[in-house]
Amino acid sequence: MGLMYAKRIVKAGWKRVNVCDLPSRYEQLKVQLKGSGLNVLRDGHAVSRKSDFIIYSVEAENIDKVVAEYGPSTKVGSIVTGQTSVKEPEIRAFEKHLPEDVHIVSCHSLHGPTVDPEGQPLVMIQHRATKAKFELALHIFSCLKSRFVVLSYKEHDRIMADTQAVTHVAFLSMGTAWKTQRQFPWETPQYVGGIENVKVHMALRIYSNKWHVYAGIALMNPAAKIQIKQYSQSVSDLFKLMIQEKEEEFTARVKTAGEFVFGKTRNSSRKPILLSDSILDRFSLSNVPKDKRKPNSHLSLLAMADCWYSLKINPYEHLMCQTPLFRLWMGITEYLFCNLDMLDEAIHSALYSRDIRADDMEFYSATKGWAECVDIGNTMTYQRRFEDTAKFFEPR
Ligand SMILES: NC(=O)C1=CN([C@@H]2O[C@H](COP(=O)(O)OP(=O)(O)OC[C@H]3O[C@@H](n4cnc5c(N)ncnc54)[C@H](OP(=O)(O)O)[C@@H]3O)[C@@H](O)[C@H]2O)C=CC1
Ligand SMILES: O=C(O)C(=O)Cc1ccc(O)cc1
């Protein structure tokens, strides 16, 4: 992310853009960035002493250590910003280690480094900065052509817990469930067609990224634990009703949640996302013909609506802070709940299709495992779980 920012800022015409990685990577970085127009320096001290606008773009887990080391070298009067995905630890580190005479403006691009920032949300936080310095920060970042969303750091973390953290756990759990079954989903008839493609592609996308990004979001944002715990509880509650074939209770629970989250979209000014099954079909990885598809219970999506209902969250209110993944996740949940035939088919399969129970059982176990891992908060366990599943998909 740091490199993406630096390249765009230099392209916008700012004359001297200083960058660094770890000192051990200095020589390598000089070679890598030769001719880029970026001024490669040995370490964060060198960058901090010379620069009027400083962006920390390091792992959330390392932010305290890195700011503790380089923060005291910050140039008087400069603006310091951070691009970690969770703001509480970043703000704490800035307040603790930065000199009093510098300004703090935090930021967060709500997309990955390979996504074009144009039009994507960029959260801006005027934490400890004058109006003029905040406006200067906005001016510098305007070269990204993103859509600014101004929030406090607390608002940011609460929204990200509702959007990113719980979405990631759902996709991580799908991946873990497929790995446990030694199953590539695009080879099986439950995962053919429209919204299944979103599940498969997004789970693969997450597992091909760096584990620390997702670990930071889940483990370091205090609000994330609550959402993730409830999502796992919703999966568990629905799964128990499914295997007992408690049709009335299960159906009522699913429909109540659906009505709460999506019922109002039809007669309000809220714009639905309206994904189209036929467009999503174009991105299929599967070579199983669509007419050979088996109905799916969509436990992951039913549980998402149940979780939003249980926590009284209106996800449409968070669309101003959408990441591409959250938008797609919400889009397929909306798609299921607004297509009543499909929803009834999912409810019926959930209760009576025995051949998908194995998948649902593994999904249930996987969410439990991820929720426990987040609750305990151990980074090494998170890394191990993430990399184990990533390794399963890697050869494909
Ligand atoms: N990836 C994404 O989709 C997004 C990520 N973010 C956030 O942005 C931040 C960066 O993530 P991302 O770019 O993906 O991850 P990367 O791992 O690519 O970037 C982190 C970089 O920080 C470097 N680093 C660590 N310690 C130091 C140090 N002491 N001095 C200099 N450099 C150091 C690392 O060096 P080395 O590799 O040599 O160890 C690495 O290059 C994270 O906080 C993440 O949460 C925000 C939005 C989107
Ligand atoms: O869209 C998502 O949720 C992603 O996985 C990409 C991403 C990762 C980390 C961020 O802080 C912002 C975006």
Side-chain angles (χ1 to χ4, degrees):
M1 289 302 285
L3 198 52
M4 188 272 278
Y5 268 55
K7 283 181 173 168
R8 285 182 186 257
I9 291 171
V10 84
K11 200 168 159 210
W14 294 93
K15 283 291 168 272
R16 183 175 281 269
V17 180
N18 302 314
V19 298
C20 75
D21 201 325
L22 291 165
S24 57
R25 293 204 63 238
Y26 173 57
E27 297 299 336
Q28 199 184 332
L29 195 66
K30 267 201 309 195
V31 175
Q32 185 190 333
L33 297 183
K34 199 160 176 247
S36 66
L38 297 169
N39 186 36
V40 180
L41 299 176
R42 181 169 294 280
D43 63 18
H45 291 296
V47 172
S48 295
R49 292 195 57 200
K50 280 177 181 228
S51 309
D52 301 297
F53 185 74
I54 300 154
I55 309 172
Y56 282 84
S57 186
V58 300
E59 302 85 343
E61 203 197 356
N62 288 338
I63 189 79
D64 186 73
K65 192 178 75 188
V66 178
V67 182
E69 182 163 2
Y70 306 124
S73 301
T74 311
K75 187 174 169 182
V76 177
S78 62
I79 304 170
V80 179
T81 119
Q83 153 67 22
T84 57
S85 307
V86 42
K87 294 302 167 193
E88 205 271 334
E90 181 185 293
I91 294 289
R92 207 172 347 112
F94 284 164
E95 284 182 344
K96 192 156 131 206
H97 305 300
L98 292 177
E100 286 294 324
D101 53 14
V102 306
H103 300 262
I104 302 173
V105 174
S106 191
C107 69
H108 185 194
S109 283
L110 300 187
H111 57 83
T114 56
V115 172
D116 182 348
E118 185 165 349
Q120 301 289 342
L122 168 53
V123 175
M124 294 294 298
I125 299 166
Q126 181 180 1
H127 182 68
R128 192 185 82 191
T130 60
K131 187 166 175 280
K133 294 288 182 181
F134 185 60
E135 279 167 3
L136 176 57
L138 293 176
H139 175 57
I140 294 168
F141 282 147
S142 66
C143 67
L144 298 170
K145 302 197 176 87
S146 295
R147 179 170 52 79
F148 292 126
V149 182
V150 178
L151 297 174
S152 71
Y153 82 90
K154 289 198 167 152
E155 286 167 335
H156 168 277
D157 283 357
R158 198 178 38 74
I159 296 174
M160 291 305 129
D162 289 353
T163 54
Q164 283 200 287
V166 75
T167 304
H168 296 157
V169 160
F171 287 118
L172 287 167
S173 302
M174 289 176 210
T176 301
W178 291 324
K179 181 214 73 175
T180 312
Q181 306 231 81
R182 320 299 301 166
Q183 175 188 81
F184 295 109
W186 54 91
E187 292 174 356
T188 51
Q190 280 94 294
Y191 298 101
V192 180
I195 64 179
E196 303 299 348
N197 293 331
V198 175
K199 295 184 188 169
V200 174
H201 277 284
M202 293 305 122
L204 290 182
R205 190 173 171 91
I206 288 180
Y207 278 109
S208 65
N209 281 341
K210 293 180 178 168
W211 67 270
H212 75 73
V213 174
Y214 302 100
I217 290 169
L219 304 180
M220 301 190 72
N221 182 346
K225 281 193 186 6
I226 302 165
Q227 317 300 331
I228 291 171
K229 211 176 210 167
Q230 180 56 54
Y231 182 68
S232 160
Q233 190 60 49
S234 292
V235 171
S236 177
D237 291 349
L238 291 177
F239 186 62
K240 275 186 274 188
L241 294 173
M242 282 161 57
I243 56 175
Q244 294 174 87
E245 298 184 2
K246 291 193 171 169
E247 181 172 343
E248 233 169 82
E249 204 180 326
F250 181 78
T251 308
R253 186 155 173 168
V254 168
K255 298 246 163 155
T256 307
E259 187 63 28
F260 170 80
V261 181
F262 301 104
K264 294 178 207 120
T265 48
R266 293 179 202 120
N267 51 16
S268 81
S269 57
R270 250 187 287 152
K271 247 175 90 179
I273 297 171
L274 291 182
L275 288 180
S276 132
D277 204 33
S278 58
I279 288 180
L280 293 173
D281 273 350
R282 300 214 310 257
F283 299 96
S284 182
L285 292 174
S286 175
N287 45 24
V288 180
K290 206 174 172 191
D291 58 353
K292 297 269 175 327
R293 153 188 111 83
K294 284 194 191 159
N296 194 334
S297 65
H298 295 299
L299 174 58
S300 61
L301 303 177
L302 301 181
M304 191 64 255
D306 189 80
C307 172
W308 283 325
Y309 173 63
S310 304
L311 295 172
K312 301 292 173 280
I313 290 169
N314 173 0
Y316 288 91
E317 281 172 6
H318 292 331
L319 280 176
M320 63 163 183
C321 283
Q322 60 185 278
T323 64
L325 230 67
F326 175 67
R327 184 176 178 81
L328 282 163
W329 179 236
M330 245 196 92
I332 58 173
T333 313
E334 176 192 85
Y335 187 88
L336 174 66
F337 276 88
C338 295
N339 286 275
L340 294 182
D341 289 346
M342 195 173 184
L343 184 63
D344 287 340
E345 186 187 75
I347 291 174
H348 189 269
S349 314
L351 290 161
Y352 303 116
S353 294
R354 298 240 160 119
D355 45 344
I356 56 166
R357 281 203 191 146
D359 283 29
D360 286 336
M361 197 275 286
E362 290 300 356
F363 180 73
Y364 152 79
S365 310
T367 48
K368 267 261 173 303
W370 277 109
E372 260 172 38
C373 167
V374 170
D375 196 41
I376 293 166
N378 184 293
T379 311
M380 265 165 61
T381 314
Y382 192 102
Q383 178 179 6
R384 176 86 188 271
R385 289 182 66 93
F386 189 100
E387 289 179 341
D388 272 356
T389 298
K391 216 173 273 157
F392 171 69
F393 288 109
E394 198 174 47
R396 298 299 189 96

